[in-house]
Every structure is written in structure tokens, then in C-alpha cells.
Amino acid sequence: MQKDTAKLLVLDLKPRNHNEASKPAELIQVSGHHELTLNARRAITVLWHNAHMQGVTEGRDYTIEIDALKADGHKGYERVEEAVTALMRAILTVRMPNGKTRRVQFLGGNDMDDPDRPAGVLTYSFDRRLVDILKTSTIWGKIKLPVLMAFSSKYAVSLYENVAQLTGLGLKQMHQFTLDEFREMLGVMPGKYKTFGELNKHVVKPAVDEINALAAFNVYVLPVKQGKRVAAVHIHWATKDADALREAFAESERPRIGRRARITGTVEAVLPPHTSVRRLERTERLARKARSPKIS
């Protein structure tokens, strides 16, 4: 994430390449996305980035090759069509700087080429009220599209993008969410995985495993208890060293088939053994001290 004291706007940024999106916080920190599939969640970022490269203005139509929305190469037209339809129906709740919320459709009307047409194109537009919000956005996260397209978990998409936004907060290396905030951030269906044990097994651990195998940072999730009940989660992240970055890139280039077996063979827990909130806080203090300028 970036936040500029001179109020640099996200729309003023010039995307440097097709593989890295500067995604506004308003599109990362959304509510109401629990029904969106993996493909639909990825499509939000891909469609935003494509529009950003073309120049986002109110009332504009954007075009993108349908293949760019496929995670499986030449396959997956039906999944793209399902994702586009879902994004037209979904009502996203966006947090505004003044504390209010705004409900918007991510996608307006669109045209999609026939599946048998080579190099088919999707023509789409954004809700006017959404564009109004994005015009003043000053906070964003750097999203690596190859990493995003390599995920097989929709929860990994949500966790990765939120942590990617947090990683730019200067010296900060951890953040705490209430359990309800964490569930909402991940987009978990209300009433599903009611206990933290279920949530950890089916949502958190698979998402963390994928992120740690593919992203430029490692993320750790620690439950925080009040009595016997988990009331919050503590998220800690750390940038990978050069060797780990090379391995993450190599894994993103490998076939998706067999990835789960590969990454579970090296990542055995959401947190390193014996890790605690106190230890993570100590790690952050030492890292901050090491980075602080020395005064002679």
C-alpha cells in the first residue's frame, strides 16, 4: 500500500506494466463479496487494472481480451462469462473517507464476443458512483497479477490483496482484526465455518499456504483469545529474501496441478512453532530499530 502526504491520487499513477496493478483500497476493502467466486474476485482486479491503463473516466467504455480473464489459458470462457454476470449482480459496499458507505455495482452494461470468435473482446463500464469514489482515492496496494491468477482459493485472493495493501505502511509489520472483521475481509459466507477451528482448517491455512508459496511476502495468522473464545486475529507479514523470491516466482510458473501437494510439503503451519503475539511485537520493534536512522 502507498499513502502519499502530497495526496497523490491513484488515477494519477501510470501503470508501468501489465503484470502489476495499483488497486485502490476502496476496491480491496469491500464488503458484500462473499458470494463471488475465485474467478469473479480475480476479475475485479484484472478489469480495474485494464481500465487504469486505458485511463479511468466517468462514462467510458473499456475493452479487454477475454483471454486475459482466463486462468487456464485457452479454456474457461464459461467461467469468465459467469464471473462477469456475477460482478453485474453483486452489490459491493465501499467505505468512503467521510465514514459513510456507498453501495455500488462493480460492472455496468457490457458486450462479450461469441466464445467461438478468435481473440474475443469484452467491452465494459463501471458504475458512475464507483468512479466518483476512485477519483479521490489516495491509498492503494500493489497486486502482482501472475500471483493473483495462480491462486486456487478465493480466500487467498482476498487475504493477499489486503496484506499487499498493508505492506506499504512504513515500519508496520502486523495488524489486528476482530474475528468478524477478518471473516468479512476474507468474504466468508455468514454462518459458514462457525468455529475458528473450522475457519482455520478450511479457509485460513489453505489461503496462507498459497500466499507463502507464491507471493513476495510471507503472512502469518495468529488467533487472539478472550477466555476460551477466539475474539480476534493477529496478522504478521515479512518480505522474502532473494532465494525465497526466486522460489515463489518459480512456483508461480509451474503447473497448478500438484501445487497443493508441493506447498503442503514445505508449509506445515499457519504460524512458526511457539510464535506468540508478544514475540511478533518484539520482532517488529527490533526491525523498526534496525531501520531507524542513526544520529551521530
Side-chain angles (χ1 to χ4, degrees), residues 36-55:
L36 293 180
T37 64
L38 168 65
N39 288 323
R41 295 189 193 195
R42 286 191 299 220
I44 291 176
T45 303
V46 175
L47 292 173
W48 153 258
H49 181 53
N50 177 71
H52 192 194
M53 295 193 74
Q54 295 178 32

Side-chain angles (χ1 to χ4, degrees), residues 2-129:
Q2 304 290 335
K3 184 172 182 180
D4 194 285
T5 55
K7 296 296 183 182
L8 177 65
L9 301 178
V10 179
L11 294 188
D12 291 336
L13 300 174
K14 302 300 181 184
R16 292 178 294 177
N17 58 64
H18 291 275
N19 290 327
E20 184 178 83
S22 297
K23 187 175 182 180
E26 290 84 355
L27 288 181
I28 294 176
Q29 301 173 358
V30 295
S31 302
H33 62 302
H34 52 269
E35 293 186 350
L36 293 180
T37 64
L38 168 65
N39 288 323
R41 295 189 193 195
R42 286 191 299 220
I44 291 176
T45 303
V46 175
L47 292 173
W48 153 258
H49 181 53
N50 177 71
H52 192 194
M53 295 193 74
Q54 295 178 32
V56 176
T57 55
E58 186 178 318
R60 178 170 182 172
D61 282 344
Y62 312 95
T63 58
I64 187 172
E65 290 189 5
I66 293 171
D67 282 351
L69 294 165
K70 298 177 184 177
D72 301 319
H74 64 284
K75 301 178 182 179
Y77 180 93
E78 295 80 7
R79 291 181 180 178
V80 172
E81 190 170 29
E82 290 171 359
V84 169
T85 302
L87 291 176
M88 292 180 68
R89 293 174 177 169
I91 303 298
L92 303 180
T93 302
V94 180
R95 301 174 189 175
M96 300 175 66
N98 61 7
K100 295 182 179 180
T101 58
R102 177 173 291 177
R103 290 176 292 277
V104 298
Q105 284 178 286
F106 179 71
L107 277 186
N110 56 81
D111 299 315
M112 192 167 181
D113 281 341
D114 187 275
D116 296 326
R117 180 176 176 178
V121 170
L122 170 69
T123 302
Y124 62 98
S125 61
F126 292 143
D127 185 319
R128 175 182 62 81
R129 286 180 173 79

